[in-house]
Amino acid sequence: MERLELKADDRVLILGATGFIGRRLVTALAGMDIKLRLMARSPSKTRGMLPEGKDIEVLQGDLMKNQDIRAALEGIYCAYYLVHSMGGKSIARGPGFADQDKKAAGNFKDAAGEAGLKRVIYLGGLGEKGQGLSEHLSSRAEVADILSSGKTAATILRAAVIIGAGGASFEMLRYLVERLPVMICPKWINTRIQPVAVKDVIAYLCGCLVNPDTAGKTYDIGGPEVLTYRGMMDQYAEARGLAKRIIIDVPLLTPSLSSYWVDLVTPVPAGIAHPLIEGLKNEVVCRDSSIDTYVPITKTPFKEAVKIAFSEETSGPGVTGF
Ligand SMILES: NC(=O)c1ccc[n+]([C@@H]2O[C@H](COP(=O)([O-])OP(=O)(O)OC[C@H]3O[C@@H](n4cnc5c(N)ncnc54)[C@H](OP(=O)(O)O)[C@@H]3O)[C@@H](O)[C@H]2O)c1
């Protein structure tokens, strides 16, 4: 049987290292003295985020270019895939983010197979496939399927909203609740969700790397509470010591209108807000808890996660990339 254990000399590649999750993972893995290589479209974005005295290589590269991926994979044992293509100031659809994400994942899968990469660890989204799943969540599931279909053993982690400073979904929540004592919301406000603290996500990502039994498996990861979006807003306000928010359901509010409105109130551009808002109708709750056997952690309660995120906004890595 092929060896899957991480050895001291193995180097790990992080794709999406400049993102909300990626930059925290760099800090965590470097703290474990794991040798790293980061592939970034703009290496200048890694300035100031690299811990000193650690073995970290930074390579310029884009997942749309096969030669970049091949160069990044040389001598790599495991790669983290922490990438998505949503973004932009407008909701107008150019080449869709789902097409780009499909192409990027396909390019990576093929190059990883050729390079003989042993493992890939992907952080995607919760939500069950089928009619009614939003384009964003369907795309996250499609990337999981593509990465799992290659020769490399893929570990798939599925998460709902991740609570941490600088995360697009968290920033929408934060600005809406902080700025609006009265809110009108579509009926998604009653959809169930299982948010998870970013430090727990990082612990799961690191835990899967050091536990070879997680190779080739899919896990749902979530915090200790299942809430609704309304409950999440209520608990956010409580955690921050704000007055209870008045939330009025307006069933006819469309995702497009909501996203322009979110664009006015929050720093999250409509190009990200629209696909995220479209996904709010889909329940995102863990269906399986088997990750607890392989990576046992103490799960951070939602309100504590909000307090940590808020303290980071003013003191730590809470710089939004928007
Ligand atoms: N944030 C959440 O609440 C949440 C919840 C559940 C799951 N997830 C999953 O977690 C993963 C990471 O998300 P995130 O929130 O960290 O996203 P993010 O902050 O937007 O970061 C995305 C990263 O992808 C990189 N990227 C995009 N296109 C690329 C390309 N063509 N080639 C190379 N790199 C490319 C970006 O690089 P640039 O700096 O060059 O743009 C950036 O580093 C995603 O798979 C996402 O679905 C996130």
Side-chain angles (χ1 to χ4, degrees), residues 41-63:
R41 290 187 293 191
S42 314
S44 60
K45 283 195 187 175
T46 63
R47 229 176 275 139
M49 62 171 262
L50 304 180
E52 284 193 12
K54 302 293 179 181
D55 187 342
I56 305 178
E57 300 171 358
V58 180
L59 237 66
Q60 197 283 331
D62 188 323
L63 280 162

Side-chain angles (χ1 to χ4, degrees), residues 15-23 39-42 45 61-64 81-86 100-101 104 122-126 136 140 143 157-163 166-170 196 272 276 322:
L15 302 164
T18 55
F20 163 58
I21 300 296
R23 53 181 58 226
M39 188 186 91
R41 290 187 293 191
S42 314
K45 283 195 187 175
D62 188 323
L63 280 162
M64 292 299 161
Y81 197 95
L82 306 168
V83 170
H84 69 77
S85 304
M86 289 185 300
Q100 290 184 43
D101 280 326
Y122 165 63
L123 176 63
L126 275 165
H136 163 54
R140 296 293 79 203
V143 168
L157 296 181
R158 307 191 324 147
V161 167
I162 298 172
I163 306 303
S169 303
F170 176 73
V196 57
I272 302 179
L276 290 177
F322 307 125

Side-chain angles (χ1 to χ4, degrees), residues 254-271:
T254 66
S256 301
L257 273 177
S258 308
S259 59
Y260 277 121
W261 178 65
V262 165
D263 204 22
L264 282 178
V265 178
T266 82
V268 183

Side-chain angles (χ1 to χ4, degrees), residues 85 95-103 135-136 138-139 142-143:
S85 304
F97 65 85
D99 289 343
Q100 290 184 43
D101 280 326
K102 182 178 178 180
K103 184 164 179 358
E135 188 182 6
H136 163 54
S138 301
S139 164
E142 183 175 42
V143 168

